[in-house]
Amino acid sequence: MIEKDFLPEPYNQFPEKGTVEWKAPSNIALVKYWGKKKHQIPANPSISITLDTCATKTSLSYQKKTKGNQFAFDLYLDGEPKEDFKPKITTFFERIETYLPFLKEYHFTIHTSNSFPHSSGIASSASGMAALALCLMDLERTMLPQMEDSFFKRKASFLARLGSGSAGRSIDGGLVQWGHHEHIDGSTDLFGIPYPYEVHPHFNNFHDTILLVHKGQKQVSSTVGHDLMHGHPYAENRFAQAHTNLDRLRTVLATGDLEEFIKLVESEALTLHAMMMTSMPYFILMKPDTMEIINKIWTFRKATQTPICFTLDAGANVHVLYPESVKEPAIQFIQNELVEHCENGHYICDRMGDGAKKIIQGNR
């Protein structure tokens, strides 16, 4: 598909008012994307695990108004007005108006809440933009009721990506591929797709325990970090490495090779942060406790042969990954040795999820 495929047919009806609500999950990339081109196009392809517990709930109430030249909306986070978020939503609306030309026909009231701390490296912008895109698509489907579910999901991913790149991976469940790769059928820079190849049972029920080392605002945003890949001395090698690692991962996922999975995932996590530390200006998002956790995971894995590993997002928090088969010893190790490095002892037990879901009123 190409961009023009997401341009809608003329609308036959405009509902006067209503409310829709969606829950969209966060995701954690195994092969990372870092750096992007114009129009939110990734500099390299990526693949992620869709999470379950870490999610954003967004309700969108809409009221028909006289069309003007401005977008009209109110935004609330956890029930409180959030004026500082409004410029980001305005930018998002500007990017997607071509594909949702009804936006200026309505006044929107947006209520959103996260099940996890904002701006702490758990991709809150991914789940947030995905949930908002799904609400807007739900409204469009009332105007185009013949829309097929498969198109609905693709366009939702396409729109979400224009708000936050990784948001395009927060629509479908399981493993999600985003970014064109010549050896992955159906892959595209425009939206995420369910991973199309064989996946060993080891990887169908993976757990992710997220250790909240630092719950505050990051000192460097992901947007700034992505921009610093322009002119980065190691950028081209990194982009090529991501393509190679996706080729490697296909064999790993098919065979269930946990040892090679661990090597690839941990290398990807450290490479992401290496790119941050070697950009200009350079920056470090890891904290001392991040490194303590990593070293303890390495020591425990070597001593017990338990297939447990870490990955990192663009922040200090550590995602501890392990298969269902070692859940009990993994949780015991986390509680005994790693939780002490978390801010206020806080951590989140999550696992691979099924993707975004519509919230039906009365069934919350």
Side-chain angles (χ1 to χ4, degrees), residues 8 24 57 70 96 140 170 176 263 271 311:
K57 287 183 180 179
Q70 303 294 323
I96 68 174
E140 185 177 57
S170 280
V176 177
K263 289 178 184 177
T271 298
T311 189

Side-chain angles (χ1 to χ4, degrees), residues 6-23:
F6 295 112
L7 296 172
E9 301 171 6
Y11 301 128
N12 294 321
Q13 55 188 349
F14 288 90
E16 282 296 318
K17 62 180 180 179
T19 299
V20 292
E21 189 171 4
W22 280 80
K23 176 183 177 182

Side-chain angles (χ1 to χ4, degrees), residues 222-258:
S222 293
T223 298
V224 172
H226 281 294
D227 287 344
L228 291 175
M229 288 297 284
H230 296 294
H232 194 295
Y234 307 126
E236 292 306 317
N237 283 342
R238 164 56 201 156
F239 302 149
Q241 179 192 49
H243 283 265
T244 299
N245 280 346
L246 281 166
D247 282 331
R248 290 175 55 204
L249 190 62
R250 179 171 175 178
T251 301
V252 169
L253 292 175
T255 62
D257 190 334
L258 287 168

Side-chain angles (χ1 to χ4, degrees), residues 177-364:
Q177 161 77 35
W178 172 47
H180 175 67
H181 189 288
E182 63 177 345
H183 299 147
I184 298 179
D185 293 341
S187 62
T188 172
D189 292 337
L190 299 183
F191 51 85
I193 62 169
Y195 186 68
Y197 299 121
E198 179 184 1
V199 177
H200 190 279
H202 280 333
F203 303 114
N204 283 330
N205 199 12
F206 237 63
H207 289 259
D208 178 5
T209 298
I210 305 161
L211 307 180
L212 301 179
V213 173
H214 179 64
K215 293 188 281 184
Q217 184 83 22
K218 295 179 291 188
Q219 71 266 35
V220 178
S221 72
S222 293
T223 298
V224 172
H226 281 294
D227 287 344
L228 291 175
M229 288 297 284
H230 296 294
H232 194 295
Y234 307 126
E236 292 306 317
N237 283 342
R238 164 56 201 156
F239 302 149
Q241 179 192 49
H243 283 265
T244 299
N245 280 346
L246 281 166
D247 282 331
R248 290 175 55 204
L249 190 62
R250 179 171 175 178
T251 301
V252 169
L253 292 175
T255 62
D257 190 334
L258 287 168
E259 184 175 347
E260 286 302 310
F261 177 83
I262 287 168
K263 289 178 184 177
L264 190 152
V265 167
E266 291 189 342
S267 172
E268 276 283 321
L270 295 175
T271 298
L272 171 67
H273 284 260
M275 301 310 288
M276 300 173 190
M277 289 187 278
T278 52
S279 64
M280 186 60 70
Y282 42 82
F283 60 100
I284 299 174
L285 295 184
M286 290 188 287
K287 303 291 184 183
D289 280 309
T290 307
M291 295 305 302
E292 287 289 335
I293 289 168
I294 290 171
N295 278 304
K296 284 186 174 182
I297 289 172
W298 285 343
T299 299
F300 175 75
R301 190 169 68 225
K302 183 176 181 180
T304 66
Q305 301 301 303
T306 304
I308 183 172
C309 66
F310 71 88
T311 189
L312 307 166
D313 212 327
N317 299 329
V318 182
H319 293 249
V320 186
L321 305 178
Y322 48 94
E324 173 74 23
S325 59
V326 300
K327 177 183 175 182
E328 289 187 15
I331 288 291
Q332 195 67 53
F333 162 62
I334 289 166
Q335 292 174 339
N336 290 347
E337 299 195 40
L338 303 186
V339 171
E340 66 184 79
H341 300 289
C342 299
E343 188 174 325
N344 299 320
H346 290 172
Y347 64 100
I348 300 170
C349 288
D350 212 333
R351 64 194 306 160
M352 183 178 286
D354 296 330
K357 293 180 173 62
K358 184 173 182 177
I359 299 173
I360 307 300
Q361 200 158 6
N363 184 25
R364 293 169 180 267

Side-chain angles (χ1 to χ4, degrees), residues 88-89 92 124-134 156 159-161 163-164 167:
K88 185 168 186 177
I89 301 301
F92 177 51
S124 59
S125 61
S127 55
M129 286 298 180
L132 179 54
L134 286 159
L159 296 174
R161 187 205 94 236
S164 169

